[in-house]
Structure formats: structure tokens, C-alpha cells
Amino acid sequence: CFGKKMLNIAEKVKLLDMLKEGRSYAAVGRHYGINESSVRSIKKEENNIRRTAAISFNKDAKRVVTVRNKTIVRMESALALWINDCRKKNISLDTNVIRTKAKKLYETFADSDDIHDSEEVEDFGPSTTADHAVTKDASANTAGAEAYVNKKFKTINEEGGYKPEQVFNMDETGLFWKRMPSRTFIMQEEAKAPGFKAQKDRLTLVMCGNAAGFMIKPGLIYRSKNPRAMKNKNMGALPVYWMHNAKAWMTKALNLDWFKQCFIPEVKRYLREKGLDFKVLLLLDNAGGHADDLSYDGVQIEFLPPNTTSLIQPLDQGIIRAFKALYTHFSLKDYWHGYTIASCLQNIQRAIQEMKPETLNACWKKLWPEAVQTPNGGSLDEIHHSAVDTAVNLAKQLGGDGFNDMTPDDINALIDAHTHPLTDEDLCLTPKMKPTRKCQKPAISHRLPEAGSKKLWLHRPQFIMGKTKI
């Protein structure tokens, strides 16, 4: 039995629109909590109701237009990047920390834009979009991770009947692709030089692998669509899936692009070669740049619980860190001033190929121990230490200030630099935004190309390496 309920004009217009769309009187009645006879009575008065609504809405339908301060817009954009970056790196944040950061960014951008009326940011608090992005402490959620592994993931796996070859994990990581250890003469000379700092040039690498130890072609997000070093290159034949935006940052649109144009064809090809059905489970963390509407027949999307990536996400169990150690080792082999984004792609490919499948498989131990074939197999720590030692030896062969006396600590500091939160200087590289307009109106209810082969994408003979695995 429904209690008596009075609907206002706007609600009655919505009700009439629902009837017009073909909904039944009973269904509409249940939606609004009124009986069917009341719905029919409203329907009989449709002409009068719509006429009254048109008069009322037109009377109030004044456009309220406010021009948003361009510094505020730019600050919010940079703040959102910073929050997402901290979340990915499990750095604790609270409202006070976010508010302080917002004010500091605003002051920085205001100085560069010759705007000094900082009072507009004084009330920056929980009501803003960026602050809502992080409302809980970002420390590791141990209880949530244990519950997910022991209950939800096990249930999903049993119901889906997935094999290790069919379960994938995707994660992205930032890479300052041309950065050298800070004490080297190269970095010191560049720091003194005016203009663009190559060591600050950042890209985002999208890595994805399965529980059997197979890594698909990585995605790469760079700030330019066609860098000079990539001129006349076949972008479809690169060892990465190339994407771009001005900030070299993962967005929901790029995440969807990667999913449709890289992940799906790569996984289809792999499973076909293995003689397995296209039945896939893709695990993602809940980073802000990940689309929540990924969908494809045969693919189940599962988001890991908040703040559990450092505990159970396979790619965070040493794979990314070992990759960066290998990348650093290979980048030291090339003369820095001739090191371009094309060189970077070659070294990304090498670093991934140097990691053995059994080593990658072992990183699923915390999330899916049953899938690990050799629990005491290849260690990512061993790969990391070996790559660091090799990098130190290469540095000494190069010679020069900062290279002759390089230590493993210098190399590790460089690797860790990729995981530090974005600095204000990094955030200042985000493009300046034009002022935007907010328009408020009355609430009227109306209605890839195929991936490359396994061969190294190389053009210079001196880059060719043996197949020996570390």
C-alpha cells in the first residue's frame, strides 16, 4: 500500500516523460511511490501540467554564467595529477595535506600568470572535485587485501574456471626516460643550461602480463604524437603501443584506447597460439585514470580493493622495479646526448625481454599462490641487483665526474626517483588552461594495427644483444 504523496510540477513532467517512453502506469507508480490511479489522473492533466511547467521554467530559465579563473583551472588540473600520482605510490594524504598543496600550486601558477588574488583558493576544501579524489588515508589496506585474496578472488577464479594464461594484470608507471644519476657531470651540466630539461621529460608506460609469466606489448604515453626522433617510423611496428597527450598521463580515454586497440588483439593472438579459448580476467587497480566502462565479450574486468596494490597487485611485487633497473642498465650503454625517445623504446623492449617467464609468474604468489609453478624460481631481487651492478660497471667504463665513483646507491636512487611523487616543477609543466565557463540552467527533465613480432626493433648494429637471461 502506498502512502499519499504530492508531486511537484517538475516531478510530474518527469512522470509524463516516462509514460511517453512506454513505461507502464504500474511501473511509473512504483517508481514515484504512488498508486496507479494517481498516475492516470496526472496523465489526464498532461496538457495543463506541461503548459504550467513551460511558463514556470521559462520565468526562471536565466543562464548564470561565471568565468572561471584560469589559474584555478590550471591548479585543479595539476592537483588531480598529483593526487592520482600519490595514490598510485601509496602515499598517505588527508584533507589538510591536499589543501596545503592546492594553495602552494595556486601561488606558483598565479606568479607565472601575473595573477595575485589568492583569496579565491582560501576556501578550497572538501567540497572541491579534486579533494573528493582522496578522502581516506592511502596507507596499505592489509585487511582488505587478505579478504580479497581469500574470498572474492578465489570465488571469481573458481566460477570463471580461468587458467593462469587467461588472468592478466595491468598497471602503469612513470618513467623519466633520459634521467641519469644526479652526481654525474651530465646532469650537473644540464641543470645549469637554460630551457627544456631532458631529465624532466616523463612518459607513462602501461605494463600488462598474465599469471603464466607472459607480458604483452607495453603501451606508452608520451607528450607528443610524432617526436622528431620518430619521423618516418611506422608507428604500428614499434615495440610499444604508442599513445599521446599533453601531460603524458593515463586518462580514461587512453585507457579505453589501450584496452580496445592493444590489450584485446594482443591477448587474442596469444591465447590463439596457446590453443585456449578467449576467456579473460583483467585485474586493474582503482586509479583515477582507469575507465570504469571497459567491456568486451569474453573479458571480465575486476578492480582490486583500494590501497591494496602494494600488497597483492602482481606488477607491484617487484616487476616494475626490476624493469627500471634493467632499463637504467641499458640506457647507460648509450651516449647520453644521442639518446632519443627512439633509443628509449629499444631499451624498454630489451628490459622486458630480459625478465624470464618463471620470474614473472612468481610475482603472482601473494594473489594467486596456486598459479605459481616454481615458488623458489627466479627472483626479481636477483635481476634488480644484477642490473644495478652491471650499470655501475658500465658507468665506470664511461668515465667522467660522477661516473668514475658511481655506487649501487646512486643507481638505486635513480630508480627510486621514478616512484617519488611529482614535484611542483613537474606539475608546472602541465599546459596552461584557458578560462572556462560554467553555465547553470533550471533542472528541466527532457530527455591497431597488429602488434610487432618478437624481433628486436633495432636499426643500429651496436644495439644488438645476446639472448642470455639475467
Side-chain angles (χ1 to χ4, degrees):
C1 180
F2 294 102
K4 188 173 181 180
K5 182 177 180 180
M6 300 294 292
L7 302 181
N8 59 34
I9 290 294
E11 289 173 326
K12 288 180 179 179
V13 170
K14 292 179 182 179
L15 181 152
L16 292 168
D17 288 342
M18 290 176 68
L19 292 174
K20 194 172 181 179
E21 293 170 358
R23 301 281 290 275
S24 67
Y25 289 96
V28 174
R30 286 194 297 272
H31 180 82
Y32 282 97
I34 60 178
N35 56 41
E36 188 174 336
S37 62
S38 296
V39 176
R40 294 184 183 278
S41 296
I42 293 173
K43 175 63 176 175
K44 290 179 181 178
E45 296 296 318
E46 180 173 9
N47 291 337
N48 291 332
I49 291 171
R50 291 194 182 277
R51 189 181 304 114
T52 302
I55 295 172
S56 300
F57 291 158
N58 284 337
K59 180 179 178 181
D60 298 328
K62 295 178 180 178
R63 289 171 60 89
V64 181
V65 179
T66 57
V67 178
R68 300 197 69 207
N69 185 310
K70 64 180 180 181
T71 307
I72 290 284
V73 175
R74 193 175 174 205
M75 177 273 290
E76 288 180 345
S77 176
L79 184 67
L81 287 180
W82 178 78
I83 288 173
N84 280 330
D85 183 58
C86 290
R87 175 186 285 170
K88 291 284 296 179
K89 295 164 183 172
N90 293 305
I91 297 171
S92 298
L93 297 176
D94 58 30
T95 300
N96 290 330
V97 171
I98 294 171
R99 184 182 289 112
T100 301
K101 186 69 172 182
K103 291 181 178 179
K104 188 175 180 182
L105 286 173
Y106 181 87
E107 291 168 358
T108 301
F109 291 143
D111 288 341
S112 64
D113 294 334
D114 287 325
I115 297 173
H116 301 285
D117 49 346
S118 61
E119 61 270 12
E120 291 192 52
V121 79
E122 287 299 322
D123 293 329
F124 178 82
S127 62
T128 63
T129 302
D131 203 19
H132 280 301
V134 178
T135 56
K136 296 183 179 179
D137 184 77
S139 58
N141 180 5
T142 304
E146 291 177 354
Y148 184 83
V149 171
N150 296 327
K151 295 180 181 179
K152 189 169 183 180
F153 180 74
K154 187 170 289 186
T155 300
I156 290 171
N157 218 2
E158 290 174 354
E159 292 178 350
Y162 295 108
K163 298 179 181 295
E165 291 84 357
Q166 297 168 319
V167 181
F168 288 79
N169 174 221
M170 183 276 267
D171 193 19
E172 65 269 5
T173 182
L175 184 68
F176 293 97
W177 63 274
K178 204 173 182 180
R179 183 172 289 185
M180 289 279 108
S182 59
R183 291 195 304 112
T184 61
F185 71 90
I186 290 175
M187 289 298 99
Q188 292 174 3
E189 287 177 358
E190 201 210 25
K192 298 175 184 177
F196 178 74
K197 307 294 183 186
Q199 62 167 309
K200 290 289 185 180
D201 201 10
R202 181 185 183 279
L203 58 81
T204 295
L205 193 66
V206 184
M207 302 179 72
C208 183
N210 66 12
F214 169 75
M215 296 282 284
I216 72 170
K217 173 193 284 192
L220 185 143
I221 306 171
Y222 192 52
R223 58 186 172 83
S224 172
K225 181 179 180 180
N226 293 301
R228 183 180 305 172
M230 306 298 293
K231 188 177 181 181
N232 300 323
K233 294 282 193 287
N234 179 359
M235 304 301 279
L238 300 181
V240 300
Y241 178 69
W242 188 274
M243 298 173 283
H244 68 96
N245 68 17
K247 300 168 189 173
W249 199 263
M250 176 62 83
T251 64
K252 292 184 178 181
L254 289 181
N255 185 216
L256 181 60
D257 178 35
W258 169 86
F259 178 73
K260 295 286 189 182
Q261 304 301 327
C262 181
F263 177 78
I264 295 299
E266 284 274 314
V267 174
K268 277 187 174 181
R269 185 181 307 105
Y270 168 77
L271 293 178
R272 186 168 57 247
E273 291 173 353
K274 293 290 183 180
L276 296 173
D277 294 335
F278 184 72
K279 181 177 65 172
V280 177
L281 174 63
L282 175 60
L283 302 171
L284 306 168
D285 61 32
N286 61 348
H290 291 169
D292 53 10
D293 58 350
L294 299 178
S295 176
Y296 195 87
D297 288 343
V299 180
Q300 179 177 351
I301 307 296
E302 177 69 21
F303 288 92
L304 297 171
N307 308 324
T308 62
T309 58
S310 64
L311 299 173
I312 60 174
Q313 178 160 245
L315 285 171
D316 276 339
Q317 305 310 310
I319 294 177
I320 291 176
R321 183 171 173 79
F323 160 80
K324 289 178 177 177
L326 288 165
Y327 176 85
T328 301
H329 153 217
F330 292 132
S331 64
L332 276 170
K333 292 175 69 71
D334 303 328
Y335 184 58
W336 189 85
H337 290 293
Y339 193 73
T340 67
I341 190 68
S343 313
C344 166
L345 301 190
Q346 297 163 6
N347 288 334
I348 286 173
Q349 184 185 31
R350 291 183 193 145
I352 289 177
Q353 290 183 347
E354 283 294 303
M355 293 188 285
K356 295 183 289 187
E358 54 266 34
T359 304
L360 300 175
N361 167 253
C363 287
W364 288 74
K365 183 177 180 179
K366 291 184 179 180
L367 179 63
W368 193 8
E370 297 81 3
V372 179
Q373 298 176 355
T374 53
N376 299 318
S379 166
L380 285 169
D381 284 339
E382 293 175 4
I383 292 178
H384 175 90
H385 293 313
S386 176
V388 168
D389 291 341
T390 305
V392 170
N393 291 331
L394 285 170
K396 291 179 179 179
Q397 292 175 26
L398 289 173
D401 291 343
F403 284 103
N404 288 326
D405 57 351
M406 188 170 292
T407 66
D409 287 342
D410 294 322
I411 301 296
N412 282 317
L414 172 60
I415 295 168
D416 290 337
H418 301 294
T419 61
H420 292 163
L422 295 173
T423 65
D424 290 350
E425 186 177 354
D426 296 329
L427 294 169
C428 282
L429 296 176
T430 58
K432 294 184 179 181
M433 308 292 291
K434 294 180 180 180
T436 59
R437 293 178 179 266
K438 280 186 175 179
C439 299
Q440 299 174 346
K441 299 180 181 180
I444 304 177
S445 176
H446 297 299
R447 257 215 95 112
L448 188 156
E450 295 290 310
S453 67
K454 294 182 180 179
K455 295 181 180 179
L456 281 172
W457 181 77
L458 302 173
H459 297 286
R460 289 182 286 173
Q462 62 267 36
F463 284 131
I464 298 176
M465 298 179 59
K467 296 294 184 179
T468 304
K469 301 286 185 182
I470 294 176

